[in-house]
């Protein structure tokens, strides 16, 4: 490998790096490039810090931060290395919220990944421009940048794999005696990779086979060396010891799984509850071919990198069981493409003779930065923070929860997590005030084969209904519907309150409407185009919350016979929709449809003098809706309704003109 490097491109930079370990020559040049690597890290750190989230990002960030802060365990496989590093940053960084500290650590990790990627590109090609181009194009790409400015495990994965790439390149360019030491270092890094992100196993497997073959070919592979490599790999996996320790302590108010037993540990490690080798359970993906199509160099080490890329791309496209035709699920899947992007390192066009290769590489990197700056700058993104704060503040006093000192009188219980047999034993003691009528939420009551007392969702509601108000937020479970026999839902912003069937809607209506208005009054973020990110989902939910009370009144008005009550509810719905539509220049299309329906129903109950304005408003908003949403299956029926309403208007105006 050293001779090949000296024979290409005219400059012997790569050879100098190889020879330093043999006779010490080229020391100053190696240190010089190390300083450039630090400079690259510094520039990336500045960009990432300037554009990082100042508060809680969307997605898994909240769970990861809480798990680290409480020393609990995150969802499978637990991400122990990232959890421990987050906790360390919480202790060492003196100021700021835990969310800010987590984002800060992640940004520094992302910058370090870019620095090591520069080093890998430079060592691999002997060309500084290649290193700049690799680091700049990767670090300022939309995906990398997005996941480097908010707390997530993918950035640590980028860093570890970048370090592994540098180690692999050095291994390929080193003499046999040096390779044995590098193989031990590489094994340790591989263990760390798997202590954070399981997808790295594909790269680890390819590299391990290449390293073992190379050591065998060099006639330095022995049983002793194999044992040493294995031990270094196991040392890298030591962060997983954190999982059973956390489970035994049971101090965390939030945690996932019970790893205090070998079976529980292996269940978590192999993501059994999430669907082993899948992203999520109970999902149907897009298929191998579509996944490959959507995702979409002459030395031995480059061949290995390409093999890693192809193996990972095929494997992940095969096992990624989410439908990427959904913008939200595409955003979830995209994060895992970072790993494949990391090894696409181009050797830059050799323009060194005219001294412009570095300039061009830096220019291309700058253009990449400029292109993605607007979409990746999250420094003013407080969508998830505001979503949580507005929701929590809207709840009536007396209901209880634990969340970073905000509304400590509230308690949040994850409906899905209650279905796991470890949930109540691990966290039940921290959910003070909640009565659990058994050991595990299930589709029916009784005893399980392990002797656990099973209870239904209705039994859970029955046991707590008279103790405090009960709400289901951002969705209510429907896989077990026993509760629907005795309870119905009343909208409460982004949540739904469980109330017993037959309850009077007017009971507490004033307080209910006042709480609902808070969502409309406080939400300042624009309506998203698509639900492509969790921030978009949160914003869409809050926009829906602005008028959900009006829609509930519209639905219930059809179910009562008392004209006075029906009129009062429709008038309240009318005011809710009218104010919401007039308060924003751009609103969801369905608001216009629902407002048109309210106007149409209300005009039948209003004095004749009010009928004409209501008719015209109904027609106008039906038309706006049809212009905004061309996919409604009821489009023809709505157009017919518009024609009928227009006929009423024509007759009304004709009669008025004749003095009737």
């Amino acid at each position: 490998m050293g001779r090949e490097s000296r024979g290409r491109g005219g400059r012997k930079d790569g050879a100098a790096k190889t020879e330093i370990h043999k006779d010490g020559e080229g020391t100053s040049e190696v240190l010089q490039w190390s300083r450039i690597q630090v400079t690259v890290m510094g520039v990336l750190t500045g960009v990432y810090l300037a554009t990082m989230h100042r508060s809680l990002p969307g997605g898994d960030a909240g769970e990861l931060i809480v798990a680290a802060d409480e020393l609990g365990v995150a969802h499978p496989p637990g991400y122990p290395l990232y959890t421990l590093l987050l906790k360390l940053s919480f202790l060492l960084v003196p100021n700021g919220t835990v969310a800010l500290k987590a984002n800060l650590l992640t940004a520094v990790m992302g910058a370090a990944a870019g620095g090591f990627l520069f080093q890998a590109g430079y060592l691999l090609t002997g060309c500084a421009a290649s290193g700049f181009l690799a680091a700049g194009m990767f670090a300022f790409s939309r995906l990398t940048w997005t996941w480097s400015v908010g707390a997530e495990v993918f950035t640590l994965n980028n860093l570890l794999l970048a370090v592994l790439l540098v180690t692999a390149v050095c291994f390929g360019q080193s003499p046999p005696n040096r390779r044995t030491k590098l193989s031990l270092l590489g094994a340790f890094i591989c263990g760390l990779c798997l202590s954070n992100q399981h997808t790295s196993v594909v790269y680890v497997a390819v590299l391990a086979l290449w390293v073992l073959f190379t050591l065998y070919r060099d006639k330095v592979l022995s049983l002793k060396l194999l044992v040493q490599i294995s031990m270094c790999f196991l040392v890298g996996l030591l962060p997983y010891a954190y999982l059973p320790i956390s489970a035994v302590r049971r101090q965390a108010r939030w945690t996932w799984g019970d790893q205090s037993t070998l079976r529980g540990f292996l269940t978590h490690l192999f993501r059994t509850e999430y669907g082993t080798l899948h992203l999520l359970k109970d999902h149907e993906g897009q298929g191998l071919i579509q996944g490959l199509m959507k995702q979409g160099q002459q030395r031995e080490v480059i061949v290995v990198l390409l093999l890693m890329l192809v193996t990972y791309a095929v494997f992940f496209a095969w096992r990624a069981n989410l439908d990427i035709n959904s913008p939200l699920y595409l955003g979830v899947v995209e994060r895992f493409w970072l790993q494949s992007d990391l090894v696409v390192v181009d050797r830059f066009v050799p323009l060194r003779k005219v001294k412009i290769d570095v300039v061009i590489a830096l220019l291309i990197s700058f253009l990449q930065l400029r292109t993605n700056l607007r979409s990746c700058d999250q420094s003013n993104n407080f969508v998830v923070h505001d979503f949580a704060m507005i929701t929590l503040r809207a709840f009536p006093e007396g209901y209880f929860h634990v969340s970073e000192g905000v509304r400590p009188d509230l308690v949040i219980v994850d409906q899905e997590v209650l279905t796991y047999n470890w949930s109540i034993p691990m966290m039940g003691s921290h959910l003070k005030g909640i009565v659990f009528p058994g050991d595990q939420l299930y589709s029916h009551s009784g005893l399980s084969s392990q002797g656990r007392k099973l209870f239904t969702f209705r039994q859970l509601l029955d046991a707590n209904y008279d103790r405090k108000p009960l709400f289901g937020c951002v969705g209510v479970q429907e896989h077990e519907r026993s509760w629907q026999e005795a309870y119905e839902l009343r909208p409460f912003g982004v949540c739904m309150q469980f109330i017993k069937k037959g309850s009077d809607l007017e009971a507490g209506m004033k307080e209910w409407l006042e709480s609902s208005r808070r969502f409309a009054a406080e939400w300042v973020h624009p309506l998203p185009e698509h639900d492509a990110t969790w921030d978009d989902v949160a914003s869409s939910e809050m926009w829906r919350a602005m008028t959900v009370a009006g829609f509930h009144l519209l639905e219930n008005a059809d179910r009562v016979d008392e004209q006075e009550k029906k009129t009062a509810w429709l008038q309240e719905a009318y005011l809710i929709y009218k104010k919401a539509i007039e308060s924003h220049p751009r609103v969801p299309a369905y608001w216009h449809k629902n407002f048109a329906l309210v106007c149409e129903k209300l005009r039948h109950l209003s004095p004749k003098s009010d009928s004409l304005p209501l008719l015209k408003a109904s027609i106008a908003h039906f038309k706006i809706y049809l212009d905004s949403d061309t996919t409604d299956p009821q489009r023809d029926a709505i157009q017919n309704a518009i024609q009928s309403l227009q006929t009423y208007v024509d007759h009304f105006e004709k009669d008025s003109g004749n003095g009737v």
Side-chain angles (χ1 to χ4, degrees):
M1 295 301 298
R3 286 189 293 272
E4 282 186 25
S5 181
R6 286 192 292 270
R8 297 176 186 269
R11 194 164 67 182
K12 301 180 182 180
D13 306 36
K17 291 173 179 54
T18 302
E19 295 300 323
I20 185 176
H21 304 297
K22 300 193 321 188
D23 54 22
E25 295 180 7
T27 301
S28 61
E29 187 170 6
V30 173
L31 293 177
Q32 176 185 353
W33 287 115
S34 296
R35 287 195 293 270
I36 294 179
Q37 180 184 1
V38 172
T39 301
V40 171
M41 293 181 185
V43 172
L44 294 178
T45 300
V47 173
Y48 285 168
L49 291 183
T51 58
M52 77 175 188
H53 283 272
R54 267 45 180 179
S55 185
L56 180 66
D60 295 333
E63 182 204 0
L64 294 167
I65 293 171
V66 169
D69 191 37
E70 298 273 313
L71 286 179
V73 176
H75 66 271
Y79 311 102
L81 180 60
Y82 187 71
T83 301
L84 292 171
L85 290 174
L86 281 187
K87 184 62 176 180
L88 184 63
S89 73
F90 297 164
L91 297 174
L92 295 180
V93 179
N95 299 316
T97 64
V98 289
L100 182 64
K101 295 175 183 179
N103 298 336
L104 174 64
L105 175 64
T106 305
V108 173
M109 289 176 178
F116 278 103
L117 192 58
F118 161 82
Q119 194 74 352
Y122 174 67
L123 289 173
L124 185 62
T125 65
C127 173
S130 293
F132 285 128
L133 190 65
M137 293 299 288
F138 180 76
F140 295 135
S141 68
R142 178 182 61 83
L143 278 179
T144 306
W145 197 342
T146 297
W147 298 107
S148 295
V149 294
E152 255 292 3
V153 298
F154 297 96
T155 303
L156 178 56
N157 192 49
N158 291 342
L159 172 58
L160 293 171
L161 288 175
V163 175
L164 192 60
L165 286 181
V166 173
T167 307
V169 172
C170 291
F171 178 88
Q173 295 179 346
S174 297
N177 64 322
R178 176 68 178 167
R179 283 175 174 166
T180 57
K181 296 180 180 179
L182 287 172
S183 67
L184 300 179
L185 174 62
F188 171 69
I189 298 171
C190 287
L192 291 179
C193 288
L194 293 178
S195 293
N196 178 63
Q197 181 76 31
H198 274 187
T199 55
S200 58
V201 69
V202 179
Y203 283 10
V204 168
V206 174
L207 278 177
L209 292 175
W210 172 59
V211 168
L212 292 176
F213 170 77
T214 303
L215 294 174
Y216 173 78
R217 185 184 60 191
D218 293 342
K219 299 181 180 179
V220 295
L221 186 62
S222 64
L223 179 60
K224 179 181 178 181
L225 181 58
L226 276 176
V227 172
Q228 290 175 334
I229 291 174
S230 301
M231 292 302 297
C232 288
F233 177 71
L234 292 176
V235 170
L237 292 176
L238 277 179
Y240 275 108
Y242 164 79
L243 270 62
I245 293 174
S246 174
V248 170
R249 290 178 70 248
R250 297 196 179 189
Q251 297 299 308
R253 289 172 290 180
W254 163 257
T255 193
W256 185 294
D258 182 1
Q259 301 83 30
S260 60
T261 65
L262 178 61
R263 181 176 181 179
F265 177 80
L266 294 178
T267 295
H268 205 77
L269 179 65
F270 294 113
R271 293 172 51 94
T272 304
E273 293 170 339
Y274 253 43
T276 303
L277 298 181
H278 286 99
L279 293 184
L280 287 175
K281 65 180 181 180
D282 302 328
H283 279 268
E284 188 66 33
Q286 74 289 331
L288 173 61
I289 301 302
Q290 186 179 356
L292 285 174
M293 292 176 63
K294 195 77 174 181
Q295 185 173 357
Q297 333 227 83
Q298 285 67 22
R299 305 179 192 173
E300 181 177 313
V301 67
I302 294 182
V303 173
V304 174
L305 295 180
L306 289 175
L307 182 60
M308 291 160 58
L309 168 64
V310 173
T311 304
Y312 179 85
V314 173
F315 180 83
F316 186 77
W318 172 41
R319 304 308 296 177
N321 64 323
L322 291 180
D323 183 7
I324 57 177
N325 293 314
S326 162
L328 179 61
Y329 287 148
L330 174 60
V332 173
V333 171
E334 277 184 330
R335 300 174 296 175
F336 294 89
W337 294 345
L338 288 169
Q339 182 169 320
S340 55
D341 293 344
L342 192 72
V343 297
V344 183
V345 182
D346 295 327
R347 174 167 180 155
F348 194 66
V349 178
L351 299 174
R352 289 181 292 250
K353 293 183 179 180
V354 288
K355 308 294 185 182
I356 64 170
D357 57 337
V358 171
V359 175
I360 294 178
L362 293 175
L363 177 61
I364 293 174
S365 298
F366 174 75
L367 292 176
Q368 177 86 320
L369 181 155
R370 183 178 178 183
T371 299
N372 293 317
L373 175 61
R374 184 174 181 179
S375 63
C376 295
D377 185 358
Q378 304 298 317
S379 57
N380 292 313
N381 184 347
F382 291 91
V383 171
V384 174
H385 172 273
D386 293 348
F387 178 88
M389 295 297 291
I390 291 173
T391 301
L392 292 175
R393 285 198 299 263
F395 280 103
E397 297 293 336
Y399 195 66
F400 56 115
H401 167 58
V402 176
S403 175
E404 293 220 357
V406 180
R407 293 301 304 272
D409 56 316
L410 302 178
V411 163
I412 291 179
V413 181
D414 191 310
Q415 299 170 59
E416 180 182 354
V417 168
L418 287 179
T419 64
Y420 294 107
N421 56 28
W422 48 262
S423 176
I424 294 176
M426 291 296 294
M427 296 183 291
S429 61
H430 300 293
L431 301 174
K432 307 238 181 247
I434 294 289
V435 175
F436 294 105
D439 305 314
Q440 181 181 351
L441 179 63
Y442 206 67
S443 58
H444 58 80
S445 58
L447 291 178
S448 69
S449 57
Q450 292 80 27
R452 296 187 183 88
K453 184 179 180 182
L454 308 176
F455 60 91
T456 64
F457 195 65
R458 175 177 176 176
Q459 289 173 321
L460 178 64
L461 295 178
D462 289 343
N464 293 277
Y465 187 81
D466 293 328
R467 299 171 60 86
K468 56 193 65 68
L470 304 174
F471 298 84
C473 294
V474 195
V476 176
Q477 67 85 22
E478 293 188 352
H479 62 272
E480 191 276 291
R481 303 188 179 187
S482 62
W483 62 274
Q484 295 179 353
E485 299 172 358
Y487 295 90
E488 56 188 13
L489 300 173
R490 174 182 292 179
F492 187 81
V494 297
C495 304
M496 305 292 284
Q497 183 177 359
F498 294 98
I499 59 175
K500 287 187 176 180
K501 282 190 172 180
S503 299
D504 187 1
L505 179 60
E506 292 190 317
M509 179 177 285
K510 182 178 179 181
E511 293 78 8
W512 169 60
L513 290 174
E514 181 59 34
S515 296
S516 297
R517 290 189 184 100
R518 296 177 193 170
F519 292 91
E522 297 187 42
W523 192 249
V524 297
H525 301 282
L527 177 69
E529 293 285 347
H530 306 285
D531 287 350
T533 67
W534 294 114
D535 292 340
D536 292 341
V537 172
S539 189
S540 293
E541 286 289 333
M542 196 60 76
W543 275 85
R544 185 188 65 82
M546 294 181 192
T547 60
V548 69
F551 184 70
H552 188 67
L553 290 168
L554 171 63
E555 284 187 314
N556 279 272
D558 288 336
R559 300 172 186 168
V560 297
D561 298 325
E562 187 179 339
Q563 184 168 331
E564 183 178 349
K565 185 179 292 187
K566 184 192 293 281
T567 302
W569 291 356
L570 287 174
Q571 287 175 338
E572 194 65 54
Y574 174 87
L575 293 174
I576 291 173
Y577 276 108
K578 188 174 187 295
K579 183 176 180 180
I581 290 173
E582 291 177 349
S583 300
H584 305 280
R586 177 173 170 266
V587 301
Y590 66 85
W591 283 16
H592 293 287
K593 180 182 179 180
N594 293 341
F595 186 46
L597 290 172
V598 170
C599 292
E600 162 58 12
K601 293 179 182 297
L602 185 58
R603 64 112 179 169
H604 291 286
L605 303 171
S606 302
K608 192 172 183 179
S609 59
D610 296 334
S611 295
L612 184 59
L614 290 171
L615 276 169
K616 289 183 176 180
S618 184
I619 293 171
H621 287 277
F622 269 140
K623 287 181 176 179
I624 295 174
Y625 171 71
L626 291 181
D627 290 339
S628 304
D629 188 343
T630 60
T631 62
D632 193 318
Q634 296 179 318
R635 186 176 184 82
D636 291 339
I638 295 174
Q639 287 176 332
N640 292 333
I642 292 174
Q643 293 175 0
S644 298
L645 292 174
Q646 187 62 52
T647 301
Y648 281 116
V649 171
D650 294 340
H651 283 302
F652 191 96
E653 291 180 335
K654 181 179 178 181
D655 292 342
S656 298
N658 293 331
V660 178

